[in-house]
Amino acid sequence: LVQEQRPRRILEIGTSNAYSTLWLLRAAATENIHLDSLDHSPEKHQLARRTLQLAGLEHAVQLHSTDALQFLSQTPPNSYDFVFLDADRSRYTLWWPELRKVVKLGVIVCDNAVSHAAEFQPLLTLIDAEPALQRAILTIGKGQLLIRENPAATPDATPLVQLQTSLIRR
């Protein structure tokens, strides 16, 4: 998805040890993007920084040890065109209004959408209440929820059905 969308600004919420961060960078061609990665745990950011150093990619990521809602509320509108969520799913609905603000005509991807399906129900209810959005669930691994502007409501958006899933490897 990152290869196809070619985002210029990526936000990752839930850095942990930077495993997903490395995959995002690998897919995005690191010299052309800005990647902010948030995690509230300073210990996890130390681990992530070490992982990024070992990969030679510490220069490509801005690590933020902060609360996601605080970060999102201070972020200007339309700052990101790709968001990857892999954090405390119980917080997603709390973050939702601010997430909608910071990403415009981009993609929001939430990990573990199949393995933790019940935890996603409140978020799915919010998404389904907005006709300007469309969603899809990829059943690869633990599942990914994809959220994007609905092309019927936003003519400039790329429909999810046109995403080149052939780029996704199992």
Side-chain angles (χ1 to χ4, degrees):
L1 291 170
V2 171
Q3 286 175 339
E4 180 181 302
Q5 296 297 307
R6 295 188 178 127
R8 298 303 235 180
R9 295 188 52 86
I10 296 175
L11 174 62
E12 174 186 40
I13 301 179
T15 310
S16 192
N17 65 359
Y19 179 79
S20 296
T21 313
L22 291 176
W23 282 105
L24 291 167
L25 289 170
R26 180 176 183 219
T30 58
E31 64 277 354
N32 297 325
I33 66 143
H34 176 88
L35 194 150
D36 285 307
S37 189
L38 314 180
D39 203 300
H40 60 71
S41 168
E43 295 81 21
K44 287 187 177 180
H45 264 182
Q46 288 177 342
L47 179 59
R49 189 172 313 283
R50 179 70 178 134
T51 300
L52 292 165
Q53 287 171 343
L54 289 171
L57 293 170
E58 68 276 10
H59 65 282
V61 179
Q62 181 74 39
L63 294 175
H64 302 270
S65 185
T66 186
D67 175 73
L69 184 58
Q70 179 182 352
F71 182 90
L72 292 166
S73 66
Q74 296 172 355
T75 301
N78 306 325
S79 293
Y80 298 98
D81 44 6
F82 192 96
V83 176
F84 181 71
L85 295 177
D86 191 8
D88 180 356
R89 290 168 292 282
S90 70
R91 314 266 304 158
Y92 291 0
T93 56
L94 178 66
W95 302 339
W96 185 245
E98 296 297 329
L99 280 167
R100 290 284 288 132
K101 176 192 82 171
V102 303
V103 63
K104 185 66 176 167
L105 295 179
V107 174
I108 299 173
V109 178
C110 306
D111 200 16
N112 302 310
V114 173
S115 62
H116 295 78
E119 295 176 39
F120 277 90
Q121 284 309 310
L123 180 60
L124 295 177
T125 300
L126 288 175
I127 295 164
D128 292 344
E130 294 191 47
L133 296 177
Q134 66 176 175
R135 67 177 172 93
I137 294 180
L138 298 179
T139 56
I140 297 171
K142 294 182 179 182
Q144 289 76 43
L145 168 64
L146 282 63
I147 309 159
R148 175 122 180 136
E149 298 289 330
N150 184 341
T154 311
D156 293 339
T158 303
L160 283 176
V161 294
Q162 290 182 5
L163 293 177
Q164 297 295 320
T165 55
S166 62
L167 295 175
I168 300 169
R169 303 204 196 304
R170 293 189 174 184

